[in-house]
Amino acid sequence: MKPPPVSITITDLTMRFPVYGVDAKSLKKHLARVAVGGQLGAHHGATDVTAIQGLNLKLKAGDRLGLIGHNGSGKTTLLRALSGAYEPDEGTIEVNGRIAPLLDLSLGIDPSATGLENIRLRGRIAGLSAKEIEAKMDQIGAFTGLGPFLAMPLKTYSAGMQARLAFAVATAVDADVLLMDEWIAVGDAQFQKIAHARLLSLVERAGILVLASHDLDLIRLYCNKVMRMDAGVASPMVDVKKMDQLLAAA
Amino acid sequence: MQIAEHMLRTGRRGTLHEFSMALADLRASTHKAGLAWSLAWHDVVSRYRGSILGPFWITLSMALMVLGIGFIYSKLFHIALDEFMPWVAIGIVFWGMISLTIIEGCDTFVAAKGMLSQTSLPMFTFIWRTAFRNLINLAHHTVIIVGVLIWYGYWRKANVPLAVVGLALTLANVIWISFAVALASARFRDIPQIVGSIMQFAIFLTPVFWLPGHGILAKHAVLVFNPFFHMLDVIRSPLMGRMPSGLSYAVLATMAVVGWTATFSVFAVIRRRIVHYL
């Protein structure tokens, strides 16, 4: 049986966050009309933030979607819902393909463990088997360019070296769907160049990229589709060439 | 390497659907048991990094406690040392596993916040992680028990297979309790303190280092209604060459069924909310 082609289908997605331990009622009136943040409301006595409302989206292999919008407009929430971490309150999310969320480079990184141990741990979390990791170990190690430092604890690394390692492991997974919250720029100029090449090849390899960013040039560079989020409501998805119209419409 | 993976997430579709999703989480976690093991192993390794003895430091301090309590109490209460020492040794070692699995359960989801909020890893994976971690530590501490049982000659009459059955029955209960406090602590941050106090109190109510009268099963409410007493009984008695009471098996089996049903039901209902609690 042939596996189904890589795709993302979202229908009528609504995401709400219950906010616990905070009485937002008094704030509600003040916040209701501001552009930053989702919509606050009270349901069943608990305060809810509606992060995404009635979102529909269809992506197929080759689509590289850029998400733009204010802080708190629901971009990250959408990415987390796509990663499978957040469950929809209404609607459905269907993803065919292996998902690699690159939302947080520091995920599963232990500062007191050595570089090699961190590669193993992070790889296991990303869904690689112990064997797959050992097979990729040399390649990942070489990519970090850290050489003998891989046997040292991560806390002895400089910030740039830590970022190199985290980046190398996070991007070592063969993914069909790549989720990114802001383009990851790490390390010194030389590493940024290879990181850039790596991400590009990953984007090429991955069937689908969803990238949330405030950097419009970045989105023009990497994406072919763009969607604007505004207080949890998504605009129609348009070709990236029409981004200016999308921005003007707001 | 072409693994076609499929993920379908939906809004609430009735209670039955929530239960089947919770079961799917459980199934996924058993497929990823290796991941839970790797995480647990990493926890143990990283906790004792740079120390020479590693988890054996805890073993050593436990051994000292066993020797201290064993010698002093046996003199104080005029109990034969060869009766009391194994009692205390087995009691302290297994109590350590039981109480720590429950206390560390409070941290199960809270500590996994990063992973839970950006990956689709099953939640049960982290329950197993806590359990595995404590089993790894227990494996170190069994040295004490083996030593004491050999020294006092119990190895001839110890019924190890029956003790393993007892351990399994104990784990079946300890893990759901750990699971329950994990769920509660994710939502209410007072729970870890409460659980800590309860476990501290429970060690005095449970015959960990005291003998419950002459009839081993004195029918006192403190014992009959104390699940920890029954847990220790089904492990300790076989190792000391005695039969655990039928009551202990009945209590533990009932508790496991009721506890798992209740905890799993709560999990099924609040599962999609847990990540937002954190």
Side-chain angles (χ1 to χ4, degrees):
Chain A
M1 209 176 82
K2 245 187 99 172
V6 177
S7 68
I8 294 178
T9 313
I10 298 179
T11 42
D12 300 325
L13 174 69
T14 294
M15 303 275 305
R16 289 189 206 98
F17 288 156
V19 181
Y20 300 98
V22 179
D23 181 18
K25 277 177 190 163
S26 56
L27 287 172
K28 192 170 72 175
K29 280 175 195 154
H30 302 289
L31 295 179
R33 285 192 194 86
V34 295
V36 175
Q39 300 164 9
L40 295 180
H43 297 270
H44 315 296
T47 303
D48 271 0
V49 180
T50 302
I52 295 177
Q53 192 150 39
L55 186 139
N56 285 286
L57 183 65
K58 249 188 199 318
L59 294 173
K60 55 185 192 318
D63 283 345
R64 301 195 296 275
L65 173 67
L67 290 174
I68 53 174
H70 292 289
N71 292 331
S73 58
K75 304 186 298 290
T76 303
T77 304
L78 179 57
L79 289 175
R80 291 190 172 183
L82 281 171
S83 80
Y86 288 179
E87 300 270 338
D89 287 278
E90 286 162 36
T92 59
I93 302 174
E94 194 170 5
V95 180
N96 281 309
R98 194 168 183 172
I99 305 165
L102 295 188
L103 305 184
D104 179 5
L105 274 187
S106 65
L107 171 73
I109 293 290
D110 175 357
S112 64
T114 67
L116 291 172
E117 284 170 322
N118 270 298
I119 293 176
R120 289 197 188 93
L121 190 67
R122 182 62 172 75
R124 297 289 280 134
I125 294 169
L128 297 175
S129 72
K131 264 192 200 146
E132 284 174 304
I133 297 168
E134 293 313 319
K136 281 172 181 270
M137 192 54 109
D138 289 344
Q139 181 210 332
I140 299 172
F143 183 78
T144 61
L146 293 171
F149 278 94
L150 282 175
M152 305 270 281
L154 218 68
K155 60 187 171 196
T156 64
Y157 289 20
S158 72
M161 288 161 78
Q162 290 192 18
R164 275 175 176 240
L165 182 108
F167 177 85
V169 200
T171 54
V173 189
D174 298 307
D176 304 315
V177 176
L178 194 58
L179 308 173
M180 290 179 69
D181 200 358
E182 285 299 339
W183 194 259
I184 298 161
V186 292
D188 50 28
Q190 173 227 351
F191 188 71
Q192 275 192 20
K193 220 179 258 173
I194 39 176
H196 183 82
R198 174 83 167 245
L199 279 175
L200 273 184
S201 82
L202 206 60
V203 169
E204 295 288 321
R205 186 156 36 111
I208 297 174
L209 165 76
V210 183
L211 163 69
S213 181
H214 295 288
D215 187 340
L216 301 181
D217 292 331
L218 204 68
I219 288 189
R220 281 199 188 88
L221 196 58
Y222 294 108
C223 302
N224 53 15
K225 305 257 173 88
V226 66
M227 189 167 85
R228 184 170 192 271
M229 304 278 298
D230 192 7
V233 181
S235 74
M237 186 170 71
V238 298
D239 193 278
V240 75
K241 289 177 194 124
K242 294 179 184 155
M243 185 152 74
D244 294 329
Q245 294 170 28
L246 197 65
L247 290 169
Chain B
M1 185 187 60
Q2 200 60 59
I3 308 167
E5 286 182 17
H6 178 249
M7 182 186 86
L8 177 66
R9 294 286 150 99
T10 68
R12 284 183 194 276
R13 285 179 176 174
T15 316
L16 208 62
H17 180 250
E18 296 301 302
F19 272 85
S20 81
M21 290 298 285
L23 273 176
D25 186 283
L26 177 58
R27 267 198 305 276
S29 79
T30 56
H31 292 154
K32 285 180 193 277
L35 172 62
W37 180 260
S38 296
L39 289 169
W41 191 258
H42 180 84
D43 287 341
V44 175
V45 170
S46 66
R47 189 175 298 180
Y48 299 102
R49 191 178 303 282
S51 90
I52 300 165
L53 291 185
F56 282 116
W57 276 115
I58 309 293
T59 309
L60 194 67
S61 82
M62 264 187 184
L64 288 176
M65 191 166 155
V66 167
L67 288 176
I69 291 176
F71 282 118
I72 294 169
Y73 279 36
S74 73
K75 281 268 184 297
L76 274 180
F77 299 118
H78 308 289
I79 314 166
L81 199 59
D82 62 350
E83 166 75 10
F84 192 58
M85 195 61 99
W87 177 272
V88 172
I90 301 169
I92 287 180
V93 167
F94 283 98
W95 175 262
M97 185 277 290
I98 292 168
S99 73
L100 277 181
T101 308
I102 293 172
I103 290 171
E104 290 178 6
C106 297
D107 213 26
T108 294
F109 291 138
V110 179
K113 177 181 178 170
M115 281 182 246
L116 286 175
S117 62
Q118 50 184 314
T119 66
S120 56
L121 292 180
M123 301 207 139
F124 265 105
T125 292
F126 300 96
I127 303 293
W128 307 139
R129 175 196 194 171
T130 303
F132 286 157
R133 183 173 60 225
N134 280 285
L135 282 177
I136 293 169
N137 285 332
L138 174 68
H140 288 86
H141 307 331
T142 45
V143 173
I144 300 173
I145 296 175
V146 172
V148 167
L149 290 187
I150 289 176
W151 183 264
Y152 291 100
Y154 280 90
W155 55 274
R156 278 185 226 100
K157 50 179 180 175
N159 187 347
V160 175
L162 192 62
V164 171
V165 172
L167 177 61
L169 203 51
T170 300
L171 283 174
N173 281 292
V174 168
I175 294 174
W176 78 251
I177 299 173
S178 176
F179 185 18
V181 299
L183 293 173
S185 315
R187 176 71 181 84
F188 303 103
R189 297 303 157 93
D190 305 309
I191 301 290
Q193 274 73 21
I194 296 172
V195 170
S197 309
I198 290 176
M199 294 315 291
Q200 204 162 43
F201 191 56
I203 193 173
F204 294 112
L205 292 186
T206 310
V208 178
F209 38 67
W210 48 269
L211 289 165
H214 280 295
I216 294 298
L217 239 191
K219 293 270 185 288
H220 195 281
V222 164
L223 301 179
V224 175
F225 293 105
N226 183 346
F228 301 118
F229 165 67
H230 298 294
M231 291 180 192
L232 287 182
D233 184 41
V234 294
I235 299 172
R236 183 153 51 188
S237 296
L239 285 178
M240 295 181 68
R242 288 192 286 259
M243 266 315 274
S245 86
L247 178 71
S248 293
Y249 286 110
V251 167
L252 290 181
T254 315
M255 235 178 80
V257 173
V258 174
W260 271 107
T261 311
T263 312
F264 189 81
S265 304
V266 172
F267 172 67
V269 172
I270 66 169
R271 186 185 50 89
R272 31 176 95 235
R273 282 284 170 243
I274 294 170
V275 63
H276 300 305
Y277 295 157
L278 300 172

